[in-house]
Structure formats: structure tokens, C-alpha cells
Amino acid sequence: MADLENLQTPTPSLTLDPFAEAAPAPAPAPAAAVAEKPAAPEIVLSEAEERMVQEFIPKIEIRDSNLVTQYGSGAQKKIADFSESMLSSVRTKDLGEVGEMLAGVVTELKSFDVEEEKGLFGFFKKSANRMTAMRAKYDRAEANVDKICTTLEGHQVTLMKDIALLDKMYDLNVAYYKELCMYIIAGKRKLQMVREQELAALTARAQQTGQPEDAQAANDLANLCGRFEKKLHDLELTRMISIQMAPQIRLIQNNDTLMVDKIQSTLVNTIPLWKSQMVLALGVEHSQQAAAAQRQVTDLTNDLLKKNAETLKMATIETARESERGIVDIETLRQTNESLISTLDEVMRIQEEGHQKRMEAEAELVRLEGDLKQKLLSIRK
């Protein structure tokens, strides 16, 4: 749009030479010509514009082939150049790069986890690693967010310039459209005058005289009128392009305005919210780690107290039990007494058995001695 920035909205003007300055306006046309107007004009003209059209009609010469060719071409060229400038200058407002950066930041914000380690030492080590990782991710995300802010601000400035320039483009298009309409209105009025006056007169004369040259003159003028009518049709097609361009400009301008509002909302709402949420995430992580550490310490202390209490209980009970025992347990004395009694009983039984066996042995010895004596006596006889 740089080529359009220095353009001023022109005042519509009519000329037969689109490549030269407009000639001084001729004297007003005769009243008869002024009276000839289309039944339904395409556009409502102001008094100055209506006067300009009426002053321009006498300058139109349909028999001038070169004039017919160039008629309104200046206005057409303005529309064409304007369309080309608009097409080449209105850039696509693509925030794809910003969208990718936003997606990257969102991805980084989603995960703040580090590898877990077991045990109390592992817990504190894990907490330190987690906070280090979170701080690194926060620094990286903050840098990306700042980069996004810079990019969005640049887009916003460009879009605001484009919006202001689109207003100027709209005014230019309105001026070119009105100028084109004035050419069409002037041409149609001139064409109607020629057909109703000159062509009608030539046709009547040819019919009256029957001369070939009169018929050819009427036919030539009819062909010239047809050619000029086609030229006016071309101008109407160009006017339609200008008509369509007006809502297109407003649509582009509206899209740019919506984009500016969206960027502004992102800069003043979304980005600060991101930063505050990241800071809160770090604060919450600190609190969670402190609570988790306290919980670990408390759990460990409780476990130690329980274990120590159980150990103390067992030791106290054993000590009390041992302190209440005598030097020798009754059970031990009972067992030793029973063992002693049993021993004495066994000794007595053994002694009785030994005595009995000795008595039997003595009796056996007496019998054996007697038997031996009897035997010896019997041998002597």
C-alpha cells in the first residue's frame, strides 16, 4: 500500500484525453441538450457534478473513432491501477509463526516433571532436580513469550497502518466510481441525443431520398452509435468492479480490525496470564515440595518413634521379667530335685538288684560247693 499512502482523494473530473490535463470547460450546452436525461440515472449527482456532466456532453464526438476508443479509459485505468495496487499491497495477515511459538510455549508449560528417585535422599535430590528443571523451562518459556509479544506488537502496528490506509483506499475507490459513473451518464445522454436527433434525421432523409449515400450515412452513424454503446458497456463492467471493490476493502479492513483487537487482547490479557500462571506454578511447586518434605520427615519421625517405642517396650518387659526372677528358677529346682530323686531311686534299685544278685550268687556258691564236696566223696569210695 506504500504507493497509495501519498495519494489524495481526487475530485471527479471528465476529459476526452486521459493522458493530458483536463481542458477548460466549454460554455454550457443548449437547453435542448440539458433536457435529454435518462429515465433512471445510475447515480445521484450533486449540482456541481450534474453541471460538469452537462458541460462535458457537447465535447463528446461519436464520429471520432479515436475519441470513442479513449472514452473513459482514464477512469478505467485508475480503477485497474487501483485494483493492482490493492492486490499487490494488501498482504496476508498470517500469524502462523506466532501460532507455532504459542504452541511451543503451551507444550513446555504442560510438563514440569523430572525423573523420580526412591528413598528420603532420593526425594530431596528429586525435588532439587525438579525445581532446576522447572526454572530452566520457565526461563525458556518466558523468552519465547517475550519474543511472541515483540512479534505481535509488530503485526499490530502494521495492521493499524493498513486499517488507516484502507480508509483512504475506500475514499479513492468512491471517487473513481463516481467519476466512472459520470462518464457513463454523459455517454448515455450523448448517445440518446445522437440517436434521437442526428440518426433519426439521417434515417428519415435516407428513406425520403432513397439515395445510397444517405442510407450509408445513416448506417455508418448507427454503427458508430453501436460501437459507442459497447464502450459504455465496458465502462459499466469496470464500474461493477469498483462496486465490488468497496465491500472487499471493508471486509479486509474489518478482518484487520478484528486481528488488531485479538492481538491487543493477547498482549494485555493472555500473555500476562501466562506469566502469572507460570510464576504461580513455581510457587505452588515450592509449597508442594515443602509440604512433601515435611510429610516425609514427619512420617520418618513417626516410624522411628514407633520402632523405638516397640524396642523400649520389649527391653523394659524383658528387664522387668529378668529382674523378678530368682537366681535359680523354681522350675529348675523342681527339675533338678526330680532328677536327683530319680537318681537316688535308680541308685537304690541298682543297689537292691546288686544285693539280690549277690545273695543269689552266694546261694549258688554254697550249692556249687556242696555239689563239689559230694562229688569228691563219691570218688573216694
Side-chain angles (χ1 to χ4, degrees), residues 38 42 85 88 119 148 155 177 194 199 211 246 252 255 278 324 372-373:
E42 294 82 349
S85 298
S88 62
I148 291 173
H155 278 279
Y177 165 78
V194 170
L199 182 58
Q211 296 297 319
I252 295 173
N255 292 338
M278 287 189 289
E324 294 298 326
L372 181 57
K373 287 179 177 182

Side-chain angles (χ1 to χ4, degrees), residues 198-361:
E198 296 183 37
L199 182 58
L202 287 176
T203 301
R205 180 177 179 181
Q207 292 175 350
Q208 182 179 2
T209 63
Q211 296 297 319
E213 60 270 22
D214 293 336
Q216 186 62 48
N219 186 59
D220 290 343
L221 185 57
N223 290 334
L224 290 172
C225 289
R227 181 187 175 195
F228 190 64
E229 185 177 17
K230 292 178 182 179
K231 180 64 179 180
L232 294 178
H233 179 69
D234 289 342
L235 294 180
E236 289 180 337
L237 294 178
T238 304
R239 184 187 65 169
M240 190 62 198
I241 294 174
S242 180
I243 292 174
Q244 293 176 347
M245 199 174 299
Q248 290 173 354
I249 292 173
R250 288 307 190 202
L251 284 174
I252 295 173
Q253 191 177 38
N254 183 62
N255 292 338
D256 288 352
T257 302
L258 292 176
M259 188 65 71
V260 167
D261 293 341
K262 182 64 176 178
I263 291 175
Q264 183 67 16
S265 177
T266 301
L267 291 174
V268 301
N269 294 324
T270 305
I271 299 299
L273 179 61
W274 280 357
K275 291 185 176 181
S276 64
Q277 290 303 309
M278 287 189 289
V279 172
L280 287 176
L282 288 175
V284 169
E285 183 63 23
H286 278 294
S287 300
Q288 288 179 342
Q289 287 187 6
Q294 182 62 41
R295 183 168 56 253
Q296 290 280 342
V297 172
T298 301
D299 292 344
L300 180 59
T301 302
N302 290 331
D303 291 341
L304 290 175
L305 289 174
K306 289 177 182 179
K307 290 180 180 178
N308 289 338
E310 186 67 23
T311 302
L312 180 61
K313 175 183 176 182
M314 296 301 297
T316 303
I317 292 174
E318 290 298 324
T319 301
R321 182 179 291 117
E322 293 299 323
S323 65
E324 294 298 326
R325 289 177 61 185
I327 296 176
V328 178
D329 290 341
I330 295 299
E331 183 65 27
T332 302
L333 293 175
R334 181 183 295 110
Q335 291 180 0
T336 56
N337 190 59
E338 289 176 353
S339 178
L340 180 58
I341 293 173
S342 176
T343 301
L344 294 174
D345 290 340
E346 186 69 19
V347 170
M348 291 176 65
R349 185 183 63 76
I350 293 173
Q351 288 177 348
E352 289 178 356
E353 288 180 355
H355 177 72
Q356 182 67 30
K357 287 182 179 180
R358 284 193 302 270
M359 294 297 291
E360 291 176 355

Side-chain angles (χ1 to χ4, degrees), residues 105 108 133-145 278:
V105 173
E108 292 180 3
M134 285 188 67
R135 288 193 186 97
K137 290 181 179 181
Y138 174 80
D139 293 339
R140 181 167 59 252
E142 186 179 30
N144 287 341
V145 168
M278 287 189 289

Side-chain angles (χ1 to χ4, degrees), residues 81-100:
D81 292 345
F82 181 75
S83 301
E84 183 66 24
S85 298
M86 181 177 172
L87 180 63
S88 62
S89 301
V90 176
R91 296 170 296 279
T92 301
K93 311 305 182 298
D94 185 11
L95 294 181
E97 178 184 359
V98 175
E100 293 177 1

Side-chain angles (χ1 to χ4, degrees), residues 37-225:
K37 292 185 179 181
E42 294 82 349
I43 186 174
V44 178
L45 302 177
S46 65
E47 293 183 2
E49 292 167 347
E50 179 67 28
R51 184 167 57 254
M52 189 182 302
V53 168
Q54 295 301 332
E55 293 173 351
F56 185 69
I57 290 175
K59 299 166 62 176
I60 303 174
E61 182 52 64
I62 293 180
R63 290 185 175 83
D64 187 339
S65 178
N66 188 54
L67 183 146
V68 172
T69 301
Q70 298 296 333
Y71 185 78
S73 59
Q76 284 182 306
K77 187 175 185 305
K78 290 178 183 178
I79 296 294
D81 292 345
F82 181 75
S83 301
E84 183 66 24
S85 298
M86 181 177 172
L87 180 63
S88 62
S89 301
V90 176
R91 296 170 296 279
T92 301
K93 311 305 182 298
D94 185 11
L95 294 181
E97 178 184 359
V98 175
E100 293 177 1
M101 296 169 67
L102 290 173
V105 173
V106 170
T107 300
E108 292 180 3
L109 292 176
K110 282 183 177 179
S111 174
F112 284 90
D113 294 329
V114 294
E115 184 178 358
E116 294 187 359
E117 298 189 38
K118 297 180 180 179
L120 185 60
F121 175 75
F123 168 77
F124 288 108
K125 184 177 180 182
K126 179 194 71 174
S127 298
N129 291 341
R130 184 182 178 89
M131 284 307 304
T132 301
M134 285 188 67
R135 288 193 186 97
K137 290 181 179 181
Y138 174 80
D139 293 339
R140 181 167 59 252
E142 186 179 30
N144 287 341
V145 168
D146 290 339
K147 187 184 298 183
I148 291 173
C149 288
T150 302
T151 304
L152 288 177
E153 287 171 354
H155 278 279
Q156 189 178 34
V157 170
T158 301
L159 288 171
M160 292 176 71
K161 289 181 179 178
D162 289 347
I163 291 171
L165 203 53
L166 285 167
D167 278 331
K168 184 180 292 185
M169 290 178 66
Y170 186 86
D171 293 339
L172 285 172
N173 184 65
V174 170
Y176 296 156
Y177 165 78
K178 183 165 289 189
E179 183 174 312
L180 199 59
C181 287
M182 291 168 65
Y183 274 108
I184 294 172
I185 291 173
K188 285 185 175 182
R189 291 179 182 178
K190 180 67 175 184
L191 182 61
Q192 184 179 4
M193 291 169 54
V194 170
R195 281 176 169 169
E196 291 179 355
Q197 297 177 16
E198 296 183 37
L199 182 58
L202 287 176
T203 301
R205 180 177 179 181
Q207 292 175 350
Q208 182 179 2
T209 63
Q211 296 297 319
E213 60 270 22
D214 293 336
Q216 186 62 48
N219 186 59
D220 290 343
L221 185 57
N223 290 334
L224 290 172
C225 289

